[in-house]
Every structure is written in C-alpha cells, then in structure tokens.
Amino acid sequence: MISERHFINGDWAFAYGEHPGAEADPGPSWHGSEWSDVGLPHSFELPDFRDYRIYVGHGCYRRTLDVDEAWLGQWIALEFLGVFQACEVFVNGRSVGSHKGGYTPFTVDISEAVRAGGNDLFIRVDNQWDARLAPRAGDYSFGGGIYRDVSLLVADRVRVDWYGIGVTTPVIEPDAAAVNVSVEVVNDEPHPVEAVVSAVIADSGPVAELQAVKQTIPARSTAVVELEGTLPHPRLWHPDHPHLYELTASVEVDGRVRSTQSTAFGVRWFEFTADRGFFLNGEHCDLHGANVHQNRGGWADAGTRASIRRDIGMIKDLGMNIIRGSHYPHHPYFAAECDRQGVLFWSELHFWGMGGEDIEGFWFASAYPIHEEDEAEFEESLRRALRTMIRVHRNHPSIITWSIGNEAFFTDDAVVDKAKALTVELVAMSKALDPTRPAAVGGAQRKGFDVLGDIAGYNGDGAELFHDPGFPSVVSEYHGVSGNGPGEYEVQWEHGVEIDYPWRSGKIFWCGFHYKTVAPGAGLQGLADYFRRPKRAYHWYRERLLGIAPPEFPQPGKAAALQIRSDVDTVPTDGTGDARIEVEMVDEHGVRVADDKPILLTVLEGDGLFPSGRSFTLSPETGSVWDGAGAIEMRSYTPGPLRIRATADGVAPAELALTATGPAKPAGSGERRLQTPAPYLTEPPLGGGYISLCEYRPVKTSSAAPGHHGGNATQPGESTWRAAGDGPGEWIAPSLEFPYQIRQFDITFAEAPTAPWVVESAADGRTFEPVQEHGPGEDRSVKLEFEARTALAVRVSFPERPLEIREIRVY
C-alpha cells in the first residue's frame, strides 16, 4: 500500500484535569459539562493575552478515530508534531504509547489496537516542570497542549520509514551535482524480503533517476539502503532564488511497489569562516535576521501552518535572510517554509538557561540539573531530541547549523563543568548524525561555552566582549526595541553591532515578535507585537535594508466607522489554515485614525472560532489595540459560509464574509461546546533573594580599558571593570534582563572609593533615576538597602572620575 496521511485536527473533546480511568470509559462521561469541543492545534492557554501566569497541570483530549477496514493488517500510526510536554496515548482503552519532550515530533503505532470503524482515542497531556526533562528553564511560556498537528498514517508492512530519507549533495559543479540518498526500509513481515529501492528526482517533471539497489531486508527489522546518482545542471538554492527539487523513493517487492515517500531538497553549499564571515554557494553572504518564537496573540503556541507562513514572510519582507528558531526545535513546516520562501534557518535544541534566582521546581532553575539523580534522564532527553530534530529536518537546504541550545551557562556553578561536557557531547553527536552541517552553541558569552562548538553565538554584550575570537561567530541576539504599542521608529543598536566586521558571519535581532513568558514584564522586544502587527521599528528596518519608505502612520482623531479585512477569502477546515482578520478605526473620510477603543468581533454565521470561541475582544488593555487597529486569527473546522461582525462603541460596525472549505460534516454533529477558562493559573515562585539578579548578565559601559570589560563586574572573580578614561561622566550599567523588584545593591571596588559615585535604576532599562549617592569611603565593599523598586537595569555613574569595580550584585 502507498502511504497515506490524514490530518485529524478536528472533532476533539478537551477537559482540564487528569481524569484518572477516563481512558477506559468512552461512554457518556466525556460528554459532561467539563468537556468542550476543540480543534488542533490547541493550547491549555486559550485565549492568550500574554499573562505571565500559566495553567500547570493535566489536560485530556478525546475523539473518535475512524479506521477503514482495508487498512487492517497494515502499519497504522498516529503522528504528533508537538505536544507539551508529556503525554500518554490510549486507543480503545489500551495504552499504545507515551512521549516526553515538548518540541519534537513522534509517532505511536496503533496497528494492533484498532478495529474497523470507530475507535476511541484518548490522550492525557501534562506540562508540569520536570527536573529530568529539558528545558529546565527559559524566558518563555510553557503552556501545555497538543499544540501542533496530529495525523493518522497508514503504510505497508514493508515501507520507507518515518522521515526515512536522507539526501546530501557532496559534490556540486555547474554541470552536475552528485546526489547521495539513504533510504531506511522497514520490514514488519515475519520473513525476509528482497526489496528493490529506487529514487527519482523531479523539477516540474523527472530530471534524474538514481540507480536501483536490490537488498535483502531481514524479518521484523530496518535496513538502510544507499543510493547514488547525478543531477545534471543543478539549479542552486539561495535566498534570492530558493529552488527546490523533489526526490521520491520507492520500495518494490516481487514486482509490486509497496511504499513510496517524497522529500524536498535543495542544492547548495556553504561555509562559516573565522576571518571572512559566511559564504553561500561560494559567495560572501552577510547574515542579518531575527529570532522567532512560536507563540502568538490569542492562540499561544498553537499556531497553524498559515500563521507560520505569515511569520516567515514578515521576516523575509524586512530584507532579512536568516531566522534563529529560538530556542527549541520548531514545527517541521517552519523549516519547509523557510526553504520555499528563501530564508536561512538556525535550528536550535532546547538546552536552555535563564539566570536570575535559580529556583528549582519551576522554569527559573539551573539549565543543568543540580541533583545527581536527575542528570542521566535529563541528558538523555536532549540526546533523544537532537536525534529527532536532525532526522526530521536534515533535508532542508535552509538549515545551515544545528545549535545545541541557548545560554546554558546559566547553570549552577557547582555543575557547570557537567553542562559544558554535555554540550561537547551534543556537538560531537550532531556532527556524527549530520557531517554536512556545523554545530553552533547559542548564547555562549559566559563561562567558556563559546569554544565548545564549531560556531559561537554571542548574545547581548558578547558582541563587544569577543572581537575576532579566532573561530566562526555570529551575534545570535542583539536588542533595540522594547514595550507595547507602536514604539519608536529608529532602533538604537547596542554593543557595537552596527559595525559589520569582516570576521563576523552576521547578526540576529532579538526578536521578530513579542512573545509570552513566565518572566513578568518581559517578552516585549519584538519588531512586531504579539498579534503580528508591525511596530514602527519594523518599518525602520525595512527602510534600512530594502530602501522602502515607511507608510504614513495614523494620527490621533475621532473614529466614525470600522473597516475589517482578511488576508484570505477561504479557510481550510483541516486545522492547517486560518484567516488573519484586521480591524481599523477610520474617520468620516475613511482615513485611519489612532482612536484606541475596544473592538468586539463576533461570528454571526458559520462555525468560525476565535481563541475565546465565537467572539473575541481586541482592546488597549490587552495590548491588542493600538494606533486605532487590532488583529486576530480565526479558524473553522466546519465547511460553509462565515460572516464576522466588528463593533465598537460610538462607531459604525463592519462585516466580513469568508468561506470555510473542506469535507462535509456528518449530520447531527450538534452545537459546539465552547472551551471554558483554565480552572487556575500558577503564580511563578519567588526566589530566596540570595542570588544576584545581574550575575552573568549583559553589561553596558561608557567605556572599558583593554582586559577590563564590564562583564567582569557581574561575575565572581578577581577581574575588574575599569573605564578607558579618567574624566567625569563614566558609568557601568548591568542589565537584569527582566523586570524585578529590587531591594539591595552590593558593590565591591578594587580599592576604597576616593571619589563620588551614584547608584541608579531604570524600570524600562533606559531611563535611570537615582537610588543613592555616595562620596569617598574607607570600605571597598558597600551594601545598600532601600525601598523596593522595579528595575530592568541598574547603573553606577561617576560625576568626577571613575572608580575601578570588582563586582556588582543586585537582590
């Protein structure tokens, strides 16, 4: 049988809670009031307005799975592209599999558990923090759910394995490219089979055939079959012309094709160099891009493929050429869309640190386990995820590195050597699994992590701390935008990233879009907001990179009416698509005005769904309305006409007509039960106040003498910060990276202070206000206590002349 794939994103019931024993009870109990009707992708967090608190616990999903009688005896499996972060799967009350790990795809074989006709499918999910499962920490939100697509797979007992084709092009010349293909063939039969494996390369029709190979596949085993061939006159993949080929592998037994599988691939070569930057297809290519998280306004992590396509398009439309998939393996469709649109992709593993108060039991913990009994399972969770990430994504020409993680140096000092040893192991494992790509270490600006991979990714002040390091490097995060609303037009770059050094391969902005995080007050650094509306700075980048002048920004005025539009006319009902609906306030002349007031969107006809159900409120209070406009995505899982109405106080309403397309629903499906809010939200725990909030954080300075950079002052040790000059106005400003309530400031000078100094704090990280002023003193170490205040950064300034500082600590 040729492989079949069926999306099963619709017709799910969902309930918060663990529901013990419910997997064995497909009867009336799951039709109770606590259950709602949902579609996938789905999140525990719906609707999501960036509340830092999340529901931490269990959620259960159930649906009927129809199995064709002709499928019985074949391989039947469920494919999950992402479940956060642990799940158990049951079919007809029988346990058929489980999975741990929130960011990688997996399959569950249900061949022996199903019967012809209707089958009960029950999935229990939990997103509880796990000391033995990566990530243990991160500046992100860790809401649970089946937040990516689920499909039913059907294939022959002799078949190409799941993601079982690997394609490389080891030699590329203008007239021909060598193509090597590895095909993993599964034989579930109780006897050996003689398989003939072949492959065809297509480009709007066949362009090359790889010579078939005959190989015996032992009973109930998997074997790898190697094919070789030549692709004549290859068209190269490049961001400016992202050409793709399709390779289809076939497995034939006794003259009958038992299985086929296709994969897209591109022909290109690249090189990261230590002294000349990055090269693609032999030409220098300056990398400039953005970090992108997957969560989004209203829908949390549960974005559709259409939303992914729009996200990548927004980065491409800026004139940027690379996306860093921060900081976990993204949806397989993400890399595929980077291939199609022509955007290079930095694919990253979730060995992830955050810093701060180092709280075990929540995502503020040490990146690497602090308890020895947790180490083995934690390390294996990352090995398992790395194997899957590379297997699933290996054929994408857009991917130019496998990154091992981000800021894993935020590990307790007692176990940091183990974190570094694991990084080294994962780098080696990456290169063994895929020798064609280098391994990067992202966020490697502290504790010597930058030398552990092939490429160092420096975040924040790493851009100025590591000049010409002697190995390939990228600025993997640099900042310039903060806050809700339209923001400022011009971006103020920091740490010297405006200089394009020849030895640096490029720079990647933090970040493309606002994101939700468990860190209160954080996540507002996007070029577009959480609902994917471009801020002023988005247009500044587009003008700088592409020469496109910004649009006319709306001015304050009185709205008379609403205007509503969508990016599409039709919405597929299989859960892969949506409509992005935008509503604007306009005056009596039809000109948009910055009149910010709540806007209510209501589905009047059809089964359109917003994150909150059949209606959704955009408002200034939730950051979803500014400059007189707001946007949200709407889905439908039922075919038919859709009519949406937008209303706001004191203005004329507007309506929009769309069409949902897909197979007809069975008669009598009943009224949809809308999802209720989570029963509770978990408040992040408070730390004990004994760890400095600026430890190993980025530092800005007015100047620094050689060998005495600002980072020395936020890490233990004997090294110091010393200003380059000796006149008035010098300063040092450690960032806390997240808004904290601070109450104490400790400073140690190299010598007892002999000149005045001032301690300041900034709630926004930029606008500093005095905390305390001090003059000369006898003590090198000074402890300051004060009334609690919110701070994103602190600063020590010197009105007369600078003093040398050994350490600054903030609590």
Side-chain angles (χ1 to χ4, degrees), residues 43 45-51 54 140-141 293-302 311 314 483-485 512-517 522-535 580 616 622-624 626 631-633:
S43 170
E45 300 304 304
L46 304 185
D48 175 17
F49 292 102
R50 291 193 65 258
D51 191 331
I54 60 173
Y140 193 59
S141 183
H293 270 308
Q294 67 187 5
N295 60 12
R296 60 200 317 103
W299 295 100
D301 286 293
D311 283 359
M314 287 187 71
N484 269 318
F513 311 104
H514 285 359
Y515 57 98
K516 176 173 174 170
T517 171
L524 297 173
Q525 295 144 311
L527 293 172
D529 75 358
Y530 200 38
F531 295 84
R532 276 34 180 188
R533 291 189 55 226
K535 294 165 67 74
R580 184 178 185 275
F616 190 82
T622 59
S624 53
W626 49 269
I632 188 61
E633 296 152 355

Side-chain angles (χ1 to χ4, degrees), residues 566 568-574 577-579 581 605-608 634-644 656-662:
S566 167
V568 295
D569 296 324
T570 60
V571 179
T573 59
D574 60 4
D578 57 30
I581 296 173
E605 180 183 0
D607 193 31
M634 187 199 71
R635 307 175 186 175
S636 180
Y637 297 89
T638 305
L642 299 166
R643 189 160 55 95
I644 302 94
L656 174 71
L658 303 172
T659 303
T661 59

Side-chain angles (χ1 to χ4, degrees), residues 158-166 181-187 197 215 217 221-227 249 251 259 261 387 391-392 394 433:
V158 178
R159 63 188 177 277
V160 180
D161 203 358
W162 181 70
Y163 284 102
I165 302 174
V181 179
S182 63
V183 182
E184 296 177 38
V185 181
V186 178
N187 177 19
V197 182
Q215 188 166 320
I217 314 297
S221 67
T222 301
V224 178
V225 179
E226 303 288 353
L227 305 178
V251 179
S259 176
Q261 189 178 121
R387 280 191 291 267
R391 178 183 183 86
V392 168
R394 58 186 162 168
L433 290 168

Side-chain angles (χ1 to χ4, degrees), residues 198-323:
S198 60
V200 175
I201 299 172
D203 179 14
S204 301
V207 293
E209 293 185 13
L210 279 64
Q211 186 171 351
V213 171
K214 180 184 289 187
Q215 188 166 320
T216 300
I217 314 297
R220 296 190 174 92
S221 67
T222 301
V224 178
V225 179
E226 303 288 353
L227 305 178
E228 295 181 353
T230 300
L231 175 63
H233 306 292
R235 299 170 64 186
L236 300 184
W237 186 95
H238 186 279
D240 295 339
H241 41 81
H243 190 77
L244 294 171
Y245 292 93
E246 183 176 69
L247 182 140
T248 300
S250 301
V251 179
E252 185 178 314
V253 178
D254 296 331
R256 181 168 70 92
V257 175
R258 301 281 292 268
S259 176
T260 64
Q261 189 178 121
S262 298
T263 183
F265 75 99
V267 180
R268 52 87 178 108
W269 75 96
F270 64 89
E271 182 185 14
F272 285 89
T273 71
D275 56 348
R276 296 170 294 121
F278 177 75
F279 289 79
L280 179 62
N281 300 332
E283 298 179 352
H284 185 264
C285 177
D286 185 42
L287 301 176
H288 195 175
N291 286 261
V292 170
H293 270 308
Q294 67 187 5
N295 60 12
R296 60 200 317 103
W299 295 100
D301 286 293
T304 64
R305 296 180 181 219
S307 69
I308 290 171
R309 186 164 59 247
R310 287 192 299 268
D311 283 359
I312 295 168
M314 287 187 71
I315 303 301
K316 177 79 172 180
D317 288 348
L318 279 174
M320 291 181 168
N321 59 11
I322 186 169
I323 289 174

